[in-house]
Amino acid sequence: MKELKIISTRISIYIKDWLIQENSLKYRSFYGETFSLLLLKQTSILDSQAYSILLEEYDKKDKNANDFHFEFNNYAFINFLKLSEDKEIRERLLPLRFKNTQCTNWTLLRSNTRILCKEDTKLGVKEAKAKIGRFQLKNGLILDDKGVKSFQYHCFSMAMIAEIYMETRDAFFLKAFQNGVSFIRKFILPDGDTLYIGRGQEQSFGYGALIYILALYYKFFLDDSVLFEIKLVSSFLDKYRLVDGNYPLVMNKFQTSEPKNVDLMDVSFSGWYSYNNYFDYLPFMGVFIHKAYDILKEYKNLKINYSLIQNNFQDNNFKKIVKKNYIAIISKPEGYWTNDLAIPLIFFKDKCITPIYGGDQYAPGLQNIKSLPLPFFEQIKKSIRWRSLSILIGGNILLVSPLGIMLRKFKYFEYEIFITTYVLSPFKVKQLFFYLPSMQNIVNFLCIQNSWPIKDVCVSPNGLIEGYYSKGYKQVLIIKLKK
């Protein structure tokens, strides 16, 4: 798996060159300095100049600030000390302090650092088991909080669970990890695209964690089919590699080479969140990809099974339909906007031809509730999603809201998908159906009743999106795939 070493080394060289040029990371970071230290150490290019710059920048940070990310910085320092005992690093690590954010991925990270550092191991195990017991669903997905179905943070949580298992050898954690990785493997598309549902869609952070947990899965279970999935995901990342060797924070074509502070009103930040920092996520991705490389390099003559089996899947939250010519995935509307795939994500001719939706809904930006492909009521400026109960029945979506009821039915044929929406409401309704304009040569979108194109162009993490409105209490959308 030399490609993993190439990716992590490429990122490491880019960060080091940037540090020497700017004498700092220059832009806001929460844990970029410590993860950069770790990555440069992993790839054996850390020198005294880069070491001094990064520690000096870390020391300038206000450790009493409410947003100081102790958990992430602790983790980076602990992993650094695994590679080299360093008095300067140890003094900054101990005694352990925490921010104590309560969402799942932070809790498991906190538990892991307690256990790795051998400080209050019993508490670390206890809080990890409690969080897993409460938030891991039967399908294997671990929620990052109530109703937060993030594929990205699922992958990072699985990484922490696996490391806890390696320290404790407690079968509870191995089982949770196995179920979690088996879940996410169902959603790896034939081009390696995976992190298209939930907060943090298509971000470098999650792809680093995904590659790492796939490597750990091989280590634990010697399943050679997972090796091809690692290659697919690595190739997916490389499609978005920038000309100077670095990688975007969100896997799309918007980001320019020079990092900037986040501006959600700028289209080049499509898919970012207000808390995202370029130099947090870039070294984070590099660290976990290098961890994956370190695992797999121990195995000689890896035999890669060059096949990716795609199967139908359905539970209470998701439905995956595999046809001869395409794959379609539904995720019922619920919780964060980014959980929603109320119009299927369709993979056709080696790419996704329909968009994903959402973005940072709690900060001003280019996304808004009207841009979700669900009934919207102009009179009261609300979506039918408001205070709704959403149910997936036989692969169809039933949504019950104080504003009305929606039933969306799907029929799948080899080159056509019929989507019929029924709305029962006392309010006048219109709906927005989006498509990616770059795909016009391979798909026709036809809305059969009362439709007209829109002039506005919105953004999603995977591209600029256009579309049209349809009004009335029954709409039929036909997606015709060109043969």
Side-chain angles (χ1 to χ4, degrees), residues 73-131:
N73 289 296
N74 291 343
Y75 180 82
F77 281 149
I78 291 168
N79 278 267
F80 189 101
L81 290 171
K82 281 186 171 184
L83 301 176
S84 175
E85 180 58 40
D86 185 304
K87 181 182 177 182
E88 295 288 330
I89 298 296
R90 185 166 290 278
E91 286 178 351
R92 289 164 173 80
L93 169 64
L94 300 174
L96 288 179
R97 294 173 63 188
F98 297 112
K99 183 174 182 287
N100 286 310
T101 301
Q102 292 301 303
C103 63
T104 298
N105 80 89
W106 277 74
T107 300
L108 294 172
L109 172 60
R110 188 162 53 250
S111 298
N112 192 24
T113 55
R114 292 189 201 276
I115 295 164
L116 288 170
C117 209
K118 295 180 172 53
E119 286 207 1
D120 217 341
T121 298
K122 287 184 178 180
L123 176 58
V125 169
K126 181 181 178 181
E127 65 184 359
K129 285 187 174 182
K131 187 63 74 169

Side-chain angles (χ1 to χ4, degrees), residues 130-368:
K131 187 63 74 169
I132 294 165
R134 183 179 177 192
F135 285 100
Q136 189 168 33
L137 306 181
K138 289 182 180 179
N139 63 16
L141 173 66
I142 193 162
L143 302 178
D144 203 45
D145 209 337
K146 185 178 179 181
V148 182
K149 298 180 285 189
S150 168
F151 282 12
Q152 164 160 284
Y153 293 108
H154 168 84
C155 290
F156 180 51
S157 291
M158 288 305 117
M160 296 301 98
I161 289 170
E163 291 189 353
I164 292 171
Y165 166 70
M166 287 190 288
E167 292 294 315
T168 64
R169 294 294 161 177
D170 187 327
F172 173 89
F173 296 109
L174 181 63
K175 185 65 174 177
F177 173 79
Q178 184 179 23
N179 291 343
V181 178
S182 296
F183 169 84
I184 200 65
R185 292 181 71 192
K186 293 179 175 69
F187 292 92
I188 298 175
L189 295 174
D191 68 342
D193 190 355
T194 310
L195 306 182
Y196 39 80
I197 292 175
R199 184 167 59 90
Q201 293 156 307
E202 306 294 16
Q203 292 187 350
S204 55
F205 180 107
Y207 278 108
L210 172 61
I211 288 173
Y212 180 47
I213 64 174
L214 293 175
L216 285 165
Y217 194 89
Y218 181 80
K219 175 184 175 73
F220 297 157
F221 304 109
L222 295 179
D223 181 348
D224 59 8
S225 65
V226 81
L227 300 175
F228 184 46
E229 294 169 358
I230 292 172
K231 279 191 169 292
L232 288 176
V233 177
S234 301
S235 297
F236 177 78
L237 293 179
D238 247 14
K239 287 196 304 186
Y240 297 97
R241 177 164 52 92
L242 301 171
V243 291
D244 51 8
N246 65 333
Y247 290 80
L249 190 143
V250 180
M251 296 304 134
N252 59 38
K253 299 292 187 180
F254 290 136
Q255 184 173 302
T256 58
S257 288
E258 181 173 343
K260 300 176 182 177
N261 284 322
V262 60
D263 177 4
L264 297 182
M265 300 306 296
D266 182 343
V267 70
S268 64
F269 289 90
S270 299
W272 286 53
Y273 288 70
S274 57
Y275 57 80
N276 288 156
N277 298 319
Y278 183 75
F279 279 121
D280 289 337
Y281 281 30
L282 185 64
F284 181 99
M285 182 173 86
V287 161
F288 281 92
I289 290 178
H290 200 86
K291 278 174 168 275
Y293 167 73
D294 281 340
I295 290 169
L296 296 177
K297 74 180 181 182
E298 300 300 321
Y299 298 91
K300 306 300 181 185
N301 302 317
L302 288 172
K303 294 181 180 179
I304 298 175
N305 180 359
Y306 286 92
S307 64
L308 182 67
I309 299 173
Q310 296 285 343
N311 292 318
N312 293 324
F313 173 77
Q314 182 173 346
D315 66 7
N316 294 332
N317 292 285
F318 309 102
K319 181 166 185 177
K320 177 182 177 183
I321 303 94
V322 180
K323 306 294 283 187
K324 181 179 179 181
N325 298 302
Y326 64 87
I327 298 169
I329 295 171
I330 292 170
S331 175
K332 73 175 183 179
E334 182 181 57
Y336 280 24
W337 298 346
T338 48
N339 293 343
D340 296 12
L341 282 175
I343 297 294
L345 181 68
I346 300 170
F347 183 87
F348 176 66
K349 290 190 175 180
D350 300 322
K351 63 183 72 176
C352 290
I353 62 170
T354 50
I356 54 180
Y357 310 96
D360 190 341
Q361 69 194 69
Y362 298 112
L366 296 172
Q367 289 88 8
N368 59 66

